[in-house]
Amino acid sequence: MIVPERLAAARDLMKQRGIDAWIVTGTDPHMSEYLPKHWYTREWISGFTGSYGKVAVTLDEAILSTDSRYFLQAGEQLSGTGIQLVKDLRQPGDAPYIGWLKKVLPEGSKVGINGLTISVNEKRSLEALLGAKGISLDITVDLVSKLWNGRPSLPNSPAYELMPEFAGTSRKEKLSKLRERLPEKGADGILITALDELAWTFNLRGSDIDYNPVFVGYGYIDREEAHLFAPEGKIDRVLNEKLEPEGIHIHRYDEFLSFIKNIENKTLLIDPDRTNALLYMSVPEACSIVETSSLANLLKSVKGPVEIAGMKKAHVRDGAAMVNFLYWLENHLGKEKITELTVDGKLREFRAEQDLFAGESFHSIVGYAEHGAVVHYSVTEETDKEVLPEGFLLIDSGGQYLDGTTDITRTVAVGPLSELQQHDFTLVLKGMIGLSLARFPEGTRGVALDILARKPLWDNNMDYGHGTGHGVGYFLNVHEGPMSIRQDLNPEIIRPGQILSNEPGLYRAGQYGIRTENMILCVPGQESEFGRFLTFETLTRCPIDTSAVIPELLTTEEREWLNDYHRIVLQEVGPLISGKVKEWLTAKCARI
């Protein structure tokens, strides 16, 4: 079926169920950002391939709401589907899809949703907002399973152990840390529902989701026992023989709900933002619930010494791959046909040459000219554009290594630039440097740091519509929490040991996009009579294209930061390359 036919079939089922509207959240029972193909429900119903968006379908209309990263992409992909784009501008008030439902549905209507695909807090908010207009919510409505013929099954590839030399902290130590925190929260047990938390807790990895080395499963840990739930065959005999002696009991994935329903008289720790609503409803009334942000998520975000050392080494090797790629690009552009897909393939090829490479950390964003203005552009055979020796090429890519995860964006001048392009590039660079140089007191939230990256743009009446920094996992998801650096209020503070991205940008629709992104590690700074202060250490090792910079727009401090950064890049990446590539890097790292 094509999208209009799927919508028609969904509406027939809605009528049978007495449902006036149906919501597709586009996630899975683990609240994952990236999904196994079994849970590509948003793409299946709408044709939209972006990583964020809500679909709402009534008996007469349908909309998809997404944010500014995907406005252009969604507009193109929804054309002819019968689904209208509703822009999410991240403004106060109801989420746009909820506002739309309240507008088009009369009092007494019923909205359906699969409760496995909405978090506890999202369900409560949705229920309250719809209820204010007399609209009820049914979280037992799973239309996709009935409609999607040939739906991919859940992945069955085996999980594997992250070896101790890479993990740094043993399973026993991690379980002990979690158990130590339970009495502090007044709890007896904790539910592990997010896939990256599960992988981190048990020092396991998998290949169930593209780019994210995780596996489908759940975990339950109390003061005496640990239980791991995974699809049959996921934990093979050899791995099982390692886990069982450590007191970790293995169960089938589909037994988790019944296991939770049979827990007696315990107080359970649950993160209402990372636990699905149907699972929450399965907790017996005899049990108590303590709601708090995930302990595993927080512990995971603060990297230990082995993880930090590994991340630093991974970024140097990744830098060598990027330097080899940039050298290739500069020396082949104009001599042979190079397209966005060519660039994508070459990035993968150069990374694969590096030690401990385990895959890409996300689908590379390669946007030439106007495609660079599509923040999360994903090149296809249909959209592939030739890179010409003029203007900007934006490249956002990353690698998974057994000792770390990388995420880097470089915007490259592939030919002559206008004065406006250079001006824009320099402002973005100033913002990235501004955050890199931050000093801030302990207890600071990311929202207080975001302005450091935006100020050069705001001073010129410009802005970008995405966050400035997201957490990055250790050979795990390229996006992780709980901390962030963005304009939205996130109550989590930035802590030493956490690794985040630093990625301001500027996008002129139909012309070009610019983004410069490094990874930064929060480290202790100095202590004064006013308290302890923190700062950032940059991990990424790859030159920034100074041919696009207007040096006069940089302050002395900014210029010194850039020169010092390039000195370190040459010093650390230089030994991994040789010959003409090293000569090229030396030139690119010259002082300005």
Side-chain angles (χ1 to χ4, degrees):
M1 293 188 290
I2 59 175
V3 170
E5 293 170 341
R6 292 169 187 163
L7 290 173
R11 286 174 174 132
D12 287 341
L13 285 182
M14 288 165 62
K15 292 174 185 175
Q16 294 175 26
R17 288 286 303 265
I19 299 297
D20 301 292
W22 174 49
I23 297 171
V24 178
T25 64
T27 189
D28 66 357
H30 309 278
M31 306 296 107
S32 305
E33 178 183 10
Y34 297 101
L35 311 167
K37 292 179 173 58
H38 179 81
W39 289 103
Y40 278 21
T41 54
R42 178 179 51 235
E43 180 177 339
W44 179 82
I45 193 63
S46 70
F48 171 65
T49 60
S51 66
Y52 171 78
K54 300 285 197 297
V55 177
V57 181
T58 68
L59 297 176
D60 305 304
E61 301 175 81
I63 61 133
L64 179 139
S65 175
T66 189
D67 63 24
S68 62
R69 295 173 295 170
Y70 298 112
F71 288 166
L72 297 179
Q73 177 182 335
E76 294 171 359
Q77 292 182 330
L78 296 178
S79 178
T81 63
I83 300 175
Q84 299 299 311
L85 170 64
V86 172
K87 295 181 178 181
D88 184 349
L89 300 175
R90 302 280 186 172
Q91 294 180 340
D94 294 349
Y97 80 99
I98 299 175
W100 182 80
L101 286 171
K102 289 168 66 175
K103 179 180 177 182
V104 301
L105 294 178
E107 184 178 348
S109 298
K110 181 186 290 187
V111 174
I113 193 170
N114 183 353
L116 288 174
T117 66
I118 186 171
S119 73
V120 175
N121 276 345
E122 285 181 310
K123 179 255 184 184
R124 289 170 178 162
S125 175
L126 180 60
E127 201 166 41
L129 291 169
L130 294 178
K133 195 184 172 183
I135 300 170
S136 62
L137 181 67
D138 183 346
I139 66 168
T140 66
V141 179
D142 177 14
L143 303 186
V144 173
S145 295
K146 296 179 173 63
L147 295 171
W148 191 349
N149 295 322
R151 183 179 186 178
S153 58
L154 286 172
N156 58 6
S157 55
Y160 58 93
E161 185 171 20
L162 182 64
M163 301 308 291
E165 61 264 34
F166 298 118
T169 305
S170 69
R171 278 184 289 270
K172 182 179 179 181
E173 290 174 289
K174 290 179 178 180
L175 292 174
S176 293
K177 285 183 179 179
L178 288 168
R179 286 171 173 144
E180 287 170 6
R181 299 289 186 93
L182 290 176
E184 299 173 11
K185 301 289 185 178
D188 303 304
I190 180 173
L191 276 60
I192 307 292
T193 58
L195 301 186
D196 60 338
E197 295 177 21
L198 188 73
W200 176 86
T201 300
F202 292 99
N203 279 348
L204 301 176
R205 298 295 187 267
S207 56
D208 288 358
I209 298 179
D210 291 342
Y211 311 112
N212 296 340
V214 298
F215 61 97
V216 172
Y218 289 103
Y220 171 77
I221 299 161
D222 62 24
R223 300 187 191 191
E224 294 83 28
E225 300 179 341
H227 298 264
L228 174 60
F229 299 77
E232 196 165 359
K234 186 70 60 182
I235 308 297
D236 64 21
R237 180 184 58 81
V238 174
L239 191 52
N240 188 66
E241 288 176 355
K242 285 189 173 184
L243 297 174
E244 286 283 4
E246 295 181 25
I248 299 169
H249 307 286
I250 309 301
H251 309 264
R252 292 201 319 269
Y253 179 73
D254 56 11
E255 293 177 336
F256 189 61
L257 282 179
S258 60
F259 177 89
I260 296 301
K261 289 178 180 178
N262 287 301
I263 294 175
E264 296 182 357
N265 301 315
K266 288 187 180 293
T267 299
L268 304 180
L269 205 61
I270 292 179
D271 185 340
D273 288 318
R274 296 171 74 83
T275 304
N276 72 65
L278 276 183
L279 173 55
Y280 189 92
M281 286 178 57
S282 301
V283 176
E285 290 186 7
C287 290
S288 300
I289 294 175
V290 174
E291 295 187 7
T292 186
S293 57
S294 169
L295 292 180
N297 196 33
L298 177 58
L299 291 172
K300 171 175 58 65
S301 73
V302 178
K303 310 300 187 281
V306 171
E307 294 171 315
I308 290 172
M311 287 288 267
K312 289 182 177 181
K313 293 174 184 176
H315 278 83
V316 173
R317 295 196 307 276
D318 197 69
M322 285 295 298
V323 166
N324 284 326
F325 160 75
L326 291 170
Y327 173 81
W328 169 86
L329 178 66
E330 186 170 302
N331 284 275
H332 286 77
L333 188 64
K335 300 175 184 177
E336 62 186 76
K337 184 177 181 180
I338 295 176
T339 71
E340 293 165 334
L341 281 176
T342 310
V343 169
D344 183 32
K346 278 293 180 180
L347 283 165
R348 188 161 46 249
E349 179 183 318
F350 284 117
R351 280 198 169 95
E353 295 174 352
Q354 299 300 315
D355 291 342
L356 306 182
F357 178 73
E360 296 170 291
S361 57
F362 57 98
H363 189 283
S364 296
I365 299 167
V366 182
Y368 174 61
E370 69 272 15
H371 284 173
V374 182
V375 179
H376 277 201
Y377 172 69
S378 181
V379 59
T380 65
E381 295 284 352
E382 294 73 29
T383 66
D384 192 22
K385 186 178 180 67
E386 183 177 1
V387 181
L388 302 176
E390 58 182 15
F392 279 132
L393 173 65
L394 187 153
I395 306 157
D396 188 346
S397 64
Q400 292 285 9
Y401 302 87
L402 295 180
D403 57 352
T405 300
T406 70
D407 181 2
I408 173 176
T409 306
R410 289 295 181 264
T411 304
V412 182
V414 290
L417 301 177
S418 68
E419 186 176 341
L420 178 63
Q421 287 174 317
Q422 288 183 294
H423 184 262
D424 288 348
F425 184 95
T426 307
L427 293 183
V428 171
L429 175 60
K430 285 170 70 70
M432 194 276 291
I433 294 173
L435 182 56
S436 303
L437 290 168
R439 291 186 182 89
F440 52 97
E442 281 188 334
T444 298
R445 297 169 175 169
V447 67
L449 301 175
D450 185 83
I451 180 59
L452 298 176
R454 293 182 193 268
K455 189 176 187 302
L457 293 168
W458 283 8
D459 287 344
N460 288 268
N461 302 307
M462 295 186 284
D463 198 9
Y464 51 94
H466 56 75
T468 297
H470 58 79
V472 179
Y474 173 76
F475 186 37
L476 272 175
N477 296 1
V478 74
H479 294 158
E480 76 167 17
M483 67 297 175
S484 62
I485 300 174
R486 56 187 308 124
Q487 289 178 290
D488 304 309
L489 178 59
N490 179 343
E492 291 291 338
I493 62 173
I494 307 297
R495 294 174 168 88
Q498 292 179 330
I499 295 173
L500 301 101
S501 66
N502 173 5
E503 51 182 311
L506 183 70
Y507 311 94
R508 294 190 183 273
Q511 299 181 59
Y512 56 84
I514 299 165
R515 187 162 63 253
T516 302
E517 176 187 19
N518 283 344
M519 294 298 103
I520 50 178
L521 166 69
C522 181
V523 296
Q526 296 181 346
E527 185 172 354
S528 73
E529 60 186 293
F530 300 100
R532 295 176 180 173
F533 282 72
L534 306 175
T535 186
F536 290 121
E537 176 185 340
T538 296
L539 302 182
T540 306
R541 298 290 185 254
C542 178
I544 294 164
D545 191 351
T546 54
S547 72
V549 176
I550 301 175
E552 294 75 22
L553 293 181
L554 299 179
T555 65
T556 300
E557 185 180 32
E558 290 166 346
R559 190 180 296 203
E560 283 307 308
W561 181 95
L562 184 58
N563 287 331
D564 191 54
Y565 175 71
H566 281 148
R567 178 188 59 79
I568 296 171
V569 169
L570 181 59
Q571 176 182 305
E572 297 188 5
V573 176
L576 301 185
I577 57 178
S578 60
K580 292 184 177 180
V581 181
K582 191 167 185 177
E583 292 175 10
W584 178 91
L585 178 61
T586 301
K588 293 296 178 182
C589 291
R591 292 179 63 85
I592 64 167

